[in-house]
Structure formats: structure tokens, C-alpha cells
Amino acid sequence: SIDKMCRGTVIESAPMKGFTSIGVGGPADVLWVPADEDELLKGLDLCEKEGWTPQVLGAGTNVIVRDGGIPGLTILVRGTMENMDIDKTTITAGAGISLPRITSQAAKAGLSGFEFAGQIPGTLGGAVKMNAGAFGGAISDLVSEVKVRLPGGNIEVWQPRDFSFDYRSSNLPEGALILEVKMELSESDEEKVVDRMRELKEKRR
């Protein structure tokens, strides 16, 4: 079972009001926060072997869980894949990292292009899946590569064309999971990026 192989956290009857931005929801039968990507992949392999169909949750934003809760296994990737690396104008980040955190780090590095995401309260994986955007910008404008685990266990590196990005949508298959995303931003300076972030924050408010 998950708890026997787990180095992460397993919570039984986890009240989902503590894991959604709206703050409502009954209990998940079992909530699992994997320790890292390696454990997540092993757990997904186990789920497929046992015939389990887990629910995968990121930051829990814009999600309402019914009072009856979530049957079976729920996997929380927020807090699991939060790695981030900046190399010149390239950002490589795990799917569980929040968009505001990326925006903040990009600003400190003097990188522009991600300012629109500063007020979107979700994770990077979910943002790519739904091609999140605001103020005329979208994740699809920045993505260069995405590491994806497909149903059955194959891990592939997808290019933007593989997603067939459209307005707030992509063709990521049911049961596939985004693991890591590489994005290309443009050089700027911290002051200009922060000013733009403030401007967009005020517009959103």
C-alpha cells in the first residue's frame, strides 16, 4: 500500500477544507503528499498495478470538494515538486511550485514575461494543463519543454506543439501528469519587472 512505501505524508480522512483555497470540502479517504518526484512515480506505478484511479490536486485553487469528500486516494503535488532553477533566461521548475513564487524569483533575476502570472494562485503543472493566463499573456507563450508521465508509466519530454494549446486548454491526456516545465523568458531588470507586477496587481484588484 502507499503508506508502506511512503517517505512522504499519508493522512486518512483528511478534511479537504484545509487543502483548497475556498476552504470547504469533506474528507479525502486517503491524502498522500509524496516526498519527491521519485516517490510520486513509484506511487503512480503502484496505483496502475492495483487498478486505483487517484485524484491529483495541486494548490486546490478554484476547486470545490463536496461534503461527501473524495473516495479513494488523493495525491497532493503541492509541496512535492517545488524545485526551481534559473539559467540565464531559462527557468526550469517542478510542477508543484506556485506561480507567484516563480514570478517573484524571475523578478529578482531580472527576467520578464511571467509578470501576468503573479496573481494567479495555482501551481505550474495545473497552469500548463489549462494554459493559464491573464492580461494578454499565457503559459503557452513561454513553455519550451515539459516532462510528462503518461498513463502506463512512460515519461516523455513534450514540446509546445504536442499540447495543442488553445484558450485555457491543452490536449494533455486523461491520467497524464506534468512533472517539470522549462520556460524561456526575456532579459530585463528587476525594477521594471516589479513595476509591471504592481501595475497588473492593481488592475486585477
Side-chain angles (χ1 to χ4, degrees), residues 60-163:
T61 53
N62 297 333
V63 173
I64 298 176
V65 177
R66 63 183 182 176
D67 291 344
I70 306 176
L73 177 66
T74 300
I75 302 174
L76 190 69
V77 299
R78 180 187 65 195
T80 295
M81 297 180 290
E82 294 188 329
N83 57 291
M84 179 175 170
D85 178 72
I86 298 178
D87 181 15
K88 296 180 181 178
T89 59
T90 301
I91 292 180
T92 304
I97 195 169
S98 75
L99 301 183
R101 184 174 161 194
I102 297 173
T103 308
S104 175
Q105 293 300 311
K108 289 178 182 178
L111 296 179
S112 179
F114 207 72
E115 294 92 331
F116 70 86
Q119 300 299 310
I120 301 176
T123 57
L124 180 57
V128 172
K129 177 180 172 62
M130 66 167 289
N131 191 21
F135 305 112
I139 291 287
S140 57
D141 299 331
L142 307 173
V143 167
S144 58
E145 290 183 355
V146 181
K147 184 163 73 168
V148 178
R149 183 200 184 273
L150 297 173
N154 285 344
I155 296 177
E156 296 182 359
V157 176
W158 281 25
Q159 308 300 315
R161 64 178 178 274
D162 298 318
F163 282 91

Side-chain angles (χ1 to χ4, degrees), residues 36-81:
D36 51 31
E37 181 184 305
D38 182 61
E39 182 173 288
L40 172 64
L41 294 174
K42 289 177 181 176
L44 292 172
D45 289 343
L46 176 63
C47 288
E48 291 182 350
K49 179 182 176 183
E50 297 293 336
W52 304 334
T53 304
Q55 294 288 334
V56 178
L57 195 65
T61 53
N62 297 333
V63 173
I64 298 176
V65 177
R66 63 183 182 176
D67 291 344
I70 306 176
L73 177 66
T74 300
I75 302 174
L76 190 69
V77 299
R78 180 187 65 195
T80 295
M81 297 180 290

Side-chain angles (χ1 to χ4, degrees), residues 17-29:
K17 65 182 181 180
F19 299 94
T20 62
S21 63
I22 297 174
V24 299
D29 287 350

